[in-house]
Amino acid sequence: MSYVGPDFDPPQPRRNRRRTLTVALAALVPGALLGWVVYEAVSSPGDGGSSGNAAVRLSPSSPSNTAPTISATNDDKPPGPTPTPESTTTSGPLKGKVVVIDPGHNPNNFQHTAEINRKVNIGTNWKECDTTGTSTNDGYTEAKFTLDVAHRMRTLLEKQGATVEFTQDGDRSWGPCVDERAQIGNKAHADAVVSIHADGAGTGQRGFHVILPGKVNAGAANTEPIVTPSRDLGERIAGSFVRVTGSAPSNYVGDGTGLVTREDLGGLNLSTVPKVFIECGNMRDSKDAALLTSGAWRQKAAQGISEGIANFLER
């Protein structure tokens, strides 16, 4: 999405500084009084004790109860390195909750095709360990996108008191494989796991969708205990993602609901804790790609997903 910059007025003739200062002060006094009056009116106890913060309204299809809004910035760069344990927030509404973020793919996978092409057991059958992921037509990779959004999410969730773990942080030479990604969430006894992705569909196919686990009971896979809570998690993420980013649900899968159920993904089949995937948009569509490559939009995506997680954990 492009933004038109401000128009600049030509330089104005120099004015008498003392006169300008006098006029400015005269204008500020009534303005300050008016601001005080408005503040008193908004914060008065007549609105049920509200402090004047605007209520957040979800779309009709979104969950009815929402967690407190997590503040966000529009910085084009993701947050810095993970804080040390001493500086990590230990209090907040998500204190005691464990969230595992699974940034899809790995920036180094393309250098290790033999390793990522080996087959692993996903319960129902055998599939490749991992893939390289997709990219925009200009070369912005899915692996770079997922890590950026994951870093932004970690900052937002840790500020709420959550303990956040990653399945990978670009610190491995390749992988992990899809079965290991599931095991990381299981071993952490995560309260919620979200796998971050961006799709590689055809031009004109736009929008996001959240992938939910279907009922699978084969071999090492048994998703029956997590199907219901995972759907709850996915619905809350979809609702907040629409509200925060303004993006529409996918126009090519999910029948406009933004929700898709699958039984062929090892990361879901082997999970024993609530888990969903989110395809944040289509990297191969120019309009979606313009959003996915925007730092400001990625911040909104991180906030939308994080608020959905917080909503689920505080239910």
Side-chain angles (χ1 to χ4, degrees):
M1 183 178 295
S2 61
Y3 296 89
V4 179
D7 294 323
F8 292 95
D9 294 326
Q12 299 297 317
R14 188 176 182 89
R15 297 178 179 177
N16 184 287
R17 182 167 182 159
R18 180 174 298 175
R19 180 181 178 185
T20 302
L21 181 59
T22 303
V23 173
L25 289 173
L28 282 174
V29 173
L33 290 174
L34 178 60
W36 180 83
V37 172
V38 172
Y39 173 81
E40 286 296 306
V42 172
S43 60
S44 63
D47 60 0
S50 170
S51 63
N53 294 330
V56 175
R57 294 184 179 274
L58 297 179
S59 61
S61 60
S62 304
S64 57
N65 57 321
T66 179
T69 299
I70 300 175
S71 62
T73 65
N74 288 328
D75 293 340
D76 196 53
K77 295 181 180 180
T82 307
T84 59
E86 292 79 8
S87 63
T88 301
T89 301
T90 57
S91 62
L94 301 184
K95 181 180 179 180
K97 301 294 185 180
V98 177
V99 177
V100 171
I101 302 175
D102 178 29
H105 313 289
N106 181 314
N108 303 311
N109 274 356
F110 74 97
Q111 296 177 326
H112 298 271
T113 54
E115 289 88 345
I116 67 172
N117 284 333
R118 73 179 180 85
K119 300 293 181 69
V120 297
N121 191 335
I122 66 167
T124 54
N125 53 42
W126 293 74
K127 291 185 71 173
E128 289 76 12
C129 157
D130 201 0
T131 69
T132 59
T134 187
S135 67
T136 66
N137 294 331
D138 291 332
Y140 181 67
T141 66
E142 180 182 2
K144 186 175 181 180
F145 168 82
T146 63
L147 274 176
D148 182 276
V149 172
H151 289 158
R152 296 170 187 271
M153 288 176 57
R154 177 169 60 192
T155 298
L156 293 168
L157 291 166
E158 286 183 342
K159 286 181 178 178
Q160 295 289 298
T163 297
V164 179
E165 298 184 19
F166 278 17
T167 57
Q168 62 91 15
D169 196 4
D171 51 354
R172 298 175 52 133
S173 56
W174 56 274
C177 296
V178 294
D179 57 341
E180 184 183 352
R181 288 174 184 265
Q183 291 167 8
I184 291 171
N186 297 344
K187 290 179 180 179
H189 302 288
D191 296 287
V193 183
V194 178
S195 189
I196 311 299
H197 290 266
D199 212 356
T203 299
Q205 296 179 319
R206 299 193 59 194
F208 79 93
H209 62 277
V210 178
I211 303 174
L212 313 174
K215 288 186 178 181
V216 175
N217 192 347
N222 180 12
T223 63
E224 292 181 0
I226 69 165
V227 166
T228 297
S230 295
R231 171 169 283 274
D232 186 17
L233 171 63
E235 288 176 346
R236 292 170 190 270
I237 289 175
S240 59
F241 197 82
V242 168
R243 176 171 52 82
V244 176
T245 67
S247 294
S250 169
N251 64 6
Y252 59 98
V253 292
D255 297 324
T257 65
L259 301 173
V260 178
T261 300
R262 291 179 59 173
E263 301 175 358
D264 63 327
L265 298 177
L268 294 179
N269 289 355
L270 299 177
S271 181
T272 59
V273 294
K275 182 175 181 177
V276 299
F277 281 48
I278 180 167
E279 299 279 2
C280 296
N282 177 18
M283 300 198 100
R284 291 296 184 175
D285 177 83
S286 60
K287 293 181 179 178
D288 268 12
L291 299 176
L292 297 167
T293 55
S294 162
W297 188 88
R298 290 195 299 272
Q299 184 67 30
K300 291 181 180 179
Q303 182 180 350
I305 300 169
S306 298
E307 288 189 6
I309 295 171
N311 191 295
F312 170 76
L313 295 179
E314 293 188 304
R315 69 196 190 286

